[in-house]
Amino acid sequence: MMMEWSDLKVFLAVARAGTLGGAARLTGQTQPTMGRRLRALEAALGQRLFQRGSAGFVLTEEGLAMRAHAERIEEETLAIERRMAGAQAGLGGLLRLSSSDWFGLHVLAPICAAFMKQHPDVTIELLTDARLLSAARREADLLFRITPFREPEVVQRRFMALDYGLYVSNRQRAALPRRGRGLRLLTMDSAFEELPDVAWLKNSFPEGRVVFGSNSREAQARLCAAGAGVAVLPDALARALPGLRRVERPQDPPGREVWVGYHEDLRYSARLRAFLEFALARVGEDG
């Protein structure tokens, strides 16, 4: 037979109270209901679990054996209930994040460090990959992108705005040539030529020459700080690195928005919700 936890609760209540009336008070059910359910359980098992007498309900040998097993099941069930009830107070488990390299290092890593101080039982994996990892295949739990998600099963929201600026090495004090004659441009590689900030840089300095392209924003930033040329960089990245100076322009480069998404099956994950709320509060404070 297939027993349910509710059957075992009835059995344990009778074993502990010794009477149907006492068991009914323990479980919040009526005495007739307790008697009916106990008889059904014994009939299904084909065993007498109690001896009925003037002293009340006394466990048989079969009942004693069953009580030991039932109490172990009860202990594990209560442990699960406690864990779920206390999930917000004591979070634990693995949370896998995905983002671009510089964003993971300079925006998410400090947030992760602060979050783990509050929730030391949470383990975080931060995956910085040029590939767009999949929420559907559970390659990551929380994914951060600069474009909205197209997958229908992904729950998404705007995470933060990214402002961009034009940067040079802080050792460079000369004014930039108006049309960029002789200027060395550091930008994204050819696969990203259509990005708004790439187009802005080339249009702003049509006589400049692209001397370095990379899909790594941090690589661009470090070459810029070393004096290799000018670059359009996210302000959040440039502030985190030494040696850069922002050049004020009549019109700043176009900014971007960061979107965060997760698979709809994870909408009730306590650690995911807690991290997302924490991260949103942190970028709100910084912004």
Side-chain angles (χ1 to χ4, degrees), residues 60-227:
T60 62
E61 184 175 349
E62 292 78 12
L64 285 168
M66 181 168 167
R67 179 173 184 168
H69 292 290
E71 286 181 337
R72 284 198 293 272
I73 294 171
E74 178 187 53
E75 183 179 345
E76 290 298 323
T77 302
L78 293 175
I80 293 171
E81 292 175 355
R82 288 192 300 270
R83 178 65 180 269
M84 295 300 101
Q88 291 289 37
L91 298 175
L94 175 64
L95 184 64
R96 189 175 287 111
L97 313 179
S98 168
S99 76
S100 64
D101 56 352
W102 79 265
F103 191 84
L105 181 61
H106 297 293
V107 177
L108 293 181
I111 294 174
C112 291
F115 181 79
M116 289 187 294
K117 285 183 180 179
Q118 290 191 15
H119 304 287
D121 292 331
V122 173
T123 300
I124 293 179
E125 287 185 359
L126 178 55
L127 310 173
T128 56
D129 200 314
R131 295 183 303 120
L132 295 179
L133 299 187
S134 169
R137 293 195 298 272
R138 297 297 304 276
E139 292 178 324
D141 300 319
L142 269 177
L143 301 95
F144 296 83
R145 295 181 182 172
I146 58 171
T147 55
F149 294 78
R150 295 180 179 178
E151 299 90 332
E153 69 274 15
V154 171
V155 179
Q156 63 179 308
R157 62 161 296 164
R158 179 182 176 277
F159 182 67
M160 65 180 294
L162 285 179
D163 294 325
Y164 284 64
L166 180 67
Y167 286 88
V168 298
S169 168
N170 59 12
R171 297 190 298 272
Q172 180 176 333
R173 294 299 172 186
L176 299 181
R178 187 173 64 85
R179 292 183 55 81
R181 179 180 293 275
L183 202 60
R184 297 162 65 86
L185 309 181
L186 315 173
T187 187
M188 301 294 290
D189 63 59
S190 56
F192 298 92
E193 288 182 347
E194 302 304 316
L195 288 181
D197 60 277
V198 175
W200 181 93
L201 181 64
K202 293 178 179 180
N203 291 336
S204 298
F205 303 106
E207 297 180 13
R209 182 168 68 92
V210 175
V211 298
F212 180 77
S214 173
N215 66 348
S216 169
R217 292 284 189 183
E218 180 141 2
Q220 297 168 39
R222 292 191 179 278
L223 263 74
C224 183

Side-chain angles (χ1 to χ4, degrees), residues 236-257:
L237 168 60
R239 288 194 299 265
L241 296 177
L244 292 167
R245 178 172 65 86
R246 197 178 198 275
V247 179
E248 297 303 324
R249 302 286 296 176
Q251 183 178 9
D252 286 333
R256 305 296 297 270
E257 290 189 330

Side-chain angles (χ1 to χ4, degrees), residues 225-270:
V230 301
V232 172
L233 300 171
D235 289 335
L237 168 60
R239 288 194 299 265
L241 296 177
L244 292 167
R245 178 172 65 86
R246 197 178 198 275
V247 179
E248 297 303 324
R249 302 286 296 176
Q251 183 178 9
D252 286 333
R256 305 296 297 270
E257 290 189 330
V258 178
W259 294 80
V260 59
Y262 55 90
H263 195 276
E264 59 188 6
D265 289 348
L266 295 177
R267 67 170 68 243
Y268 299 115
S269 168

Side-chain angles (χ1 to χ4, degrees), residues 3-14 16 37 41 45 66 69-71 73-74 77:
M3 281 188 297
E4 297 181 356
W5 169 230
S6 59
D7 296 325
L8 296 179
K9 288 173 71 174
V10 168
F11 165 75
L12 286 173
V14 176
R16 288 165 178 165
R37 293 192 63 180
L41 177 60
L45 290 171
M66 181 168 167
H69 292 290
E71 286 181 337
I73 294 171
E74 178 187 53
T77 302

